[in-house]
Amino acid sequence: MRKILFLFFILFTCYSCEIQYDGETRLVVQGQLVDRNSNPIPNKRVEINNFSDGTYTPSDLISYTKTDSEGKFLMIFPTPKGEDIEIITTLNGYNFDDDYATLNYATGFQNKSITALKKNFKNYKLDLNQVTLYKNDEITQLQIQLNKTSTNKTVTALDVQGILSKDFTDLNYKNENHYLETNFNVVKNQNVRLSYTIADYSDPTKVVTTNHETIIPINSEKVIHLLTY
């Protein structure tokens, strides 16, 4: 009964929404959910939401399913008109029939969203291949605090290499504003490598850039690493 009501909700939503669809063609999203040991994650909810113009309104929940015994999923849905419609696959990481009110987020799997545009589909198909979900109790935070001690120097690039647990992936992301990400979700009990570039403007005739690396131990608690330059 609950699924019937949910399908009615989807039909009503699509009927009243502003996003227009091509009734002749369909898109396909497929993939497989696995844990950190590459074991399949069955019976997990996967949803497709379409968002217009990057504003997240109006939006449609256009398709949903659950992973099978091998952790695999496949969804077929109408093609939205317009090249700027964001097609977001949400991998919720909880059991398909779970009651939201009783979910144990501490021991359950992370949520993950993957954003795509129609140009990311090849022959109308987007294959996400294997997507790794980590359990929430396997994840901690790494925060890089920038400690600027010279007005002539600035950090121009920063990257963390290791086992990261990203909640959001945009297949078309371009860091055009050169934004420095300083907060990371990382898997516990590992060493990550921090790579960064410092630009020195002390000499008005030239800019001197230097590359640096350091190893940061990650245990079970949140790590705050002070980067002084």
Side-chain angles (χ1 to χ4, degrees), residues 3 6 14 23 31 42 48-49 52 60 62 78 98 104 109-110 118 121 129 133 142 145 150 162 174 182 188 215 226:
K3 290 184 178 180
F6 189 73
C14 292
I48 297 287
N49 290 271
S52 176
D60 292 343
I62 195 63
D98 275 344
N104 187 341
F109 285 93
Q110 68 176 121
K118 284 199 297 185
F121 288 71
N129 299 305
L133 296 184
L142 168 63
Q145 286 190 351
S150 171
K174 295 180 180 179
T182 57
K188 297 176 181 178
I215 300 298
L226 189 65

Side-chain angles (χ1 to χ4, degrees), residues 6 33 36 45 64 70 75 88 110 121 155 170 213:
F6 189 73
L33 297 188
R36 63 182 303 178
R45 184 187 299 266
Y64 77 103
E70 297 181 343
M75 288 173 289
I88 299 182
Q110 68 176 121
F121 288 71
V155 177
D170 187 342
E213 287 188 351

Side-chain angles (χ1 to χ4, degrees), residues 59-160:
S59 64
D60 292 343
L61 172 57
I62 195 63
S63 182
Y64 77 103
T65 187
K66 65 177 178 179
T67 56
D68 63 16
S69 60
E70 297 181 343
K72 295 181 179 180
F73 61 89
L74 184 146
M75 288 173 289
I76 303 173
F77 52 94
T79 302
K81 294 182 179 179
E83 300 301 319
D84 60 344
I85 302 298
E86 293 186 334
I87 302 168
I88 299 182
T89 304
T90 302
L91 312 163
N92 294 88
Y94 46 76
N95 289 335
F96 190 75
D97 296 318
D98 275 344
D99 182 349
Y100 292 179
T102 62
L103 290 177
N104 187 341
Y105 290 98
T107 58
F109 285 93
Q110 68 176 121
N111 297 341
K112 191 178 187 72
S113 296
I114 300 175
T115 301
L117 299 173
K118 284 199 297 185
K119 67 180 182 181
N120 300 120
F121 288 71
K122 306 301 181 184
N123 296 322
Y124 305 103
K125 179 185 293 185
L126 178 64
D127 191 346
L128 299 177
N129 299 305
Q130 281 194 346
V131 180
T132 301
L133 296 184
Y134 297 95
K135 287 191 173 182
N136 291 316
D137 60 4
E138 297 174 335
I139 302 168
T140 189
Q141 286 76 46
L142 168 63
Q143 180 182 353
I144 309 298
Q145 286 190 351
L146 301 181
N147 182 30
K148 186 179 180 71
T149 61
S150 171
T151 57
N152 297 320
K153 296 180 180 180
T154 187
V155 177
T156 59
L158 187 152
D159 182 52
V160 169

Side-chain angles (χ1 to χ4, degrees), residues 32-44:
Q32 181 187 29
L33 297 188
V34 297
D35 64 17
R36 63 182 303 178
N37 298 312
S38 298
N39 297 314
I41 306 177
N43 199 38
K44 297 299 182 182

